[in-house]
Amino acid sequence: MTKQKIVENFNKLFPDAKCELEYKTPYELLVAVILSAQCTDKRVNIVTKELFKKFNTPETMLLLSQAELEEKIHSCGFFRNKAKSILQASGDIVKKFNGQVPSDFDELCSLSGVGRKTANVMMSEAFKGDALAVDTHVLRVSNRLGLANSKDPNKVEFVLKDFFDKKDWSRLHYQMVLFGRYKCKAIKPDCKDCPFQTICKYFNQER
């Protein structure tokens, strides 16, 4: 299956693919993405709806103690590490970047709790650049479809960027996330009527 055909199929499956996290500012998005690690976007949106009523800037977030923030984000899982990352990143944003989330990729990666995946989401969603974030869904889909052969998200990111055109990166990220979340699931994927059956390693192994 050609690159063009793969893109066309994703466009047909998810023509309006977009970020499912709810946010109003780059800072809110950053916090939401940190919270989304191994947690559903639906749960994150429930938590941030309340959290952002009073604590939606790095300055106001720093008014919370570690324990107070942990309590507010507890249901997102891994709350201790996430609270620590959010508070440290907020401190860096205030001290190093005048309270504004940086729009430079390397500067984003310098923030606590921000790796390449989170930085790519920020570059694509908050700053409308061309980026391709590899989360657990993109990683699984990429390997199943034979687009990559690695469990290392960073390696898969560069393989996908080499394969697909830059103009398609950001849209493909969300399309692959939704595909992995709702159809090509980790357990019992819905292979019926999938347009990628001919190249899918999972489908062809199961037959």
Side-chain angles (χ1 to χ4, degrees):
M1 186 176 292
T2 65
K3 171 177 62 178
Q4 181 179 353
K5 188 63 177 178
I6 292 171
V7 171
E8 288 177 358
N9 283 329
F10 275 121
N11 286 341
K12 289 178 182 178
L13 286 170
F14 302 102
D16 302 313
K18 61 182 180 180
C19 180
E20 293 188 320
L21 293 171
E22 297 173 358
Y23 71 97
K24 294 180 181 178
T25 65
Y27 178 74
E28 288 188 358
L29 177 62
L30 178 64
V31 172
V33 175
I34 291 174
L35 290 175
S36 71
Q38 300 186 54
C39 180
T40 66
D41 287 358
K42 182 178 180 180
R43 167 54 54 185
V44 172
N45 289 336
I46 292 172
V47 170
T48 56
K49 183 177 181 180
E50 292 302 313
L51 179 66
F52 291 159
K53 286 181 179 179
K54 293 184 178 180
F55 309 101
N56 64 341
T57 67
E59 292 85 357
T60 54
M61 190 68 74
L62 290 169
L63 297 175
L64 291 170
S65 67
Q66 170 90 15
E68 289 171 333
L69 181 54
E70 286 178 5
E71 183 179 354
K72 294 181 181 298
I73 66 172
H74 188 276
S75 63
C76 288
F78 300 94
F79 56 92
R80 292 189 180 88
N81 285 337
K82 290 179 181 180
K84 182 178 180 181
S85 293
I86 290 169
L87 291 174
Q88 288 184 351
S90 298
D92 286 341
I93 291 169
V94 170
K95 295 175 185 176
K96 300 179 181 179
F97 304 107
N98 299 314
Q100 300 297 314
V101 176
S103 58
D104 175 83
F105 185 86
D106 290 333
E107 290 180 344
L108 280 167
C109 287
S110 74
L111 299 174
S112 179
V114 178
R116 292 192 63 87
K117 185 209 78 172
T118 299
N120 274 309
V121 171
M122 293 300 297
M123 294 301 296
S124 170
E125 180 68 18
F127 304 117
K128 308 306 177 186
D130 296 309
L132 206 165
V134 177
D135 68 352
T136 182
H137 300 297
V138 176
L139 186 67
R140 179 174 64 257
V141 169
S142 299
N143 279 277
R144 282 182 175 174
L145 300 189
L147 299 173
N149 184 27
S150 174
K151 298 301 181 183
D152 184 334
N154 293 340
K155 291 182 179 179
V156 172
E157 175 195 335
F158 290 113
V159 168
L160 293 177
K161 284 182 174 179
D162 284 340
F163 183 71
F164 291 110
D165 295 335
K166 189 175 182 179
K167 64 180 178 62
D168 296 323
W169 289 354
S170 295
R171 184 180 68 258
L172 276 168
H173 159 68
Y174 289 117
Q175 290 171 331
M176 293 175 79
V177 167
L178 295 178
F179 183 64
R181 182 176 291 162
Y182 299 115
K183 190 169 181 68
C184 192
K185 295 173 284 190
I187 301 175
K188 295 184 179 179
D190 179 15
C191 297
K192 183 182 178 181
D193 301 322
C194 176
F196 301 111
Q197 289 179 356
T198 58
I199 61 173
C200 179
K201 293 180 179 179
Y202 179 92
F203 179 78
N204 288 294
Q205 286 175 352
E206 291 294 305
R207 295 181 70 183

